Amino acid sequence: MDEKKRARWLDVLYLAMVIVPFILCMALKIATTPASEGITVTGAHVYFIIQMPFAGPAAFSTLPITESQVNSWAVMIALLGLCLYLTNGIRVIPGSRRQVIAELIVEKAQSFVNDNMGERFAAFAPFVAAIMGLSAFSSLSSLLGLYPPTSDLNVVAGWAILVFCLITYYKMKGGFVNYLKGFADPIPVFAPFNVISELATPISMAFRHYGNVLSGVVISTLVAAGLQGLSSLVLGWLPGFLGEIPFLQVGLPAVLSLYFDLFSGCLQAFIFAMLTMLYISNGFPEEAYEARQARKSKAKLA
């Protein structure tokens, strides 16, 4: 197989990685979700439950596999396939539009991180780009009729806890004692409030993202159901099948979807990434870190 055919087959494989996971998720949702009448606003559907090998409370002895987890994996596989497709056959001198797009994404992500975090945190560009892509694509999956993982608090809370661990790690770069002293700033009496503020960081990040996405899903569902009922009430007198067509549902739900699914979903991804960068860079004690590194260097020389 020559190089061109191999590249084409790889392109097909990578595009399949982008498309097939969502098709399988939609098929799984249709096959496992029971039919219902009227509006139903529920959490993520539980596909099956895995019994864990140890005894204990039900919350710890079982592992439910939900719609959020399956859709999250679909988004991750799709993002991986998209990245592989954009970088397949890259050259030193760009020879295709997708390589130009890939380089543009990398340059914008790197510039975004450098402008908000500084050159010291330049290596954070892949992490921030991954957070934004995962969040945005998870929210946009609702356009396919899937349950967006970002409307599940468990998913977003996991991201927030990961970011909180990074924030704490970089705050401790100046030393553990210096980190503890930070809770007594500006005066020791504020220490309990500073501890609460520290613990509230991942909670606020999770609830802000989760609440905005979930509220958009709920509002769109309620408006669509209300317009269907109003259409039946106002235009139900039309003869034959015309009276059953929800004419009033045409237009407004699409506009709401354009805002809640597209604009709001991407906006929340941007806000989450921005908060991640600001919390990590602002929490980093640069002066204490430099002084600590200088003491370590002197100790090695001594």
Side-chain angles (χ1 to χ4, degrees):
M1 184 181 296
D2 59 20
E3 191 66 26
K4 289 185 177 180
K5 288 185 177 180
R6 180 176 177 274
R8 289 176 182 174
W9 277 110
L10 286 176
D11 285 344
V12 172
L13 174 62
Y14 297 150
L15 289 175
M17 289 177 63
V18 177
I19 299 171
V20 172
F22 293 114
I23 295 177
L24 294 177
C25 285
M26 288 188 286
L28 183 62
K29 181 181 178 67
I30 294 172
T32 58
T33 303
S36 60
E37 297 182 0
I39 51 174
T40 56
V41 180
T42 61
H45 179 66
V46 179
Y47 288 131
F48 56 91
I49 297 176
I50 300 175
Q51 294 293 330
M52 302 304 290
F54 50 83
F60 300 100
S61 61
T62 58
L63 177 62
I65 303 301
T66 68
E67 198 174 357
S68 298
Q69 294 164 298
V70 175
N71 293 348
S72 293
W73 275 101
V75 171
M76 289 188 287
I77 294 172
L79 283 173
L80 175 61
L82 180 61
C83 292
L84 292 174
Y85 174 77
L86 291 176
T87 57
N88 185 29
I90 59 175
R91 302 174 182 177
V92 176
I93 300 176
S96 61
R97 291 182 180 180
R98 58 180 169 180
Q99 182 173 345
V100 174
I101 294 173
E103 292 183 1
L104 180 63
I105 293 173
V106 171
E107 290 175 2
K108 292 298 182 182
Q110 192 65 64
S111 175
F112 184 52
V113 171
N114 290 347
D115 291 343
N116 291 280
M117 301 183 75
E119 296 291 338
R120 182 187 293 275
F121 295 94
F124 264 83
F127 177 75
V128 173
I131 284 286
M132 289 187 67
L134 184 59
S135 175
F137 275 77
S138 295
S139 299
L140 294 176
S141 64
S142 62
L143 294 173
L144 301 176
L146 299 174
Y147 185 85
T150 44
S151 62
D152 190 330
L153 182 58
N154 297 294
V155 173
V156 186
W159 302 351
I161 291 172
L162 173 62
V163 171
F164 178 69
C165 292
L166 287 173
I167 295 170
T168 305
Y169 171 77
Y170 278 94
K171 282 187 175 182
M172 288 186 178
K173 282 286 190 176
F176 183 69
V177 175
N178 183 75
Y179 172 72
L180 293 179
K181 286 181 179 178
F183 290 109
D185 186 40
I187 55 177
V189 72
F190 285 130
F193 301 101
N194 290 332
V195 171
I196 294 173
S197 176
E198 188 80 0
L199 297 176
T201 298
I203 297 174
S204 64
M205 291 183 69
F207 274 91
R208 180 186 291 109
H209 199 328
Y210 151 79
N212 280 281
V213 176
L214 180 63
S215 63
V217 174
V218 173
I219 291 172
S220 298
T221 303
L222 292 176
V223 170
L227 289 174
Q228 182 180 10
L230 183 62
S231 180
S232 177
L233 179 64
V234 176
L235 303 175
W237 55 269
L238 293 175
F241 69 93
L242 293 176
E244 300 177 1
I245 299 177
F247 289 102
L248 297 182
Q249 276 190 323
V250 178
L252 184 56
V255 175
L256 290 177
S257 178
L258 185 66
Y259 173 77
F260 288 118
D261 294 331
L262 287 177
F263 176 73
S264 182
C266 295
L267 178 63
Q268 293 307 315
F270 173 80
I271 292 173
F272 193 91
M274 181 64 75
L275 290 176
T276 298
M277 292 187 294
L278 293 180
Y279 281 136
I280 292 175
S281 59
N282 291 340
F284 177 68
E286 188 169 0
E287 294 182 2
Y289 174 76
E290 295 295 345
R292 189 185 183 197
Q293 293 299 107
R295 289 196 298 269
K296 286 184 177 180
S297 298
K298 288 181 180 180
K300 287 182 179 180
L301 291 175

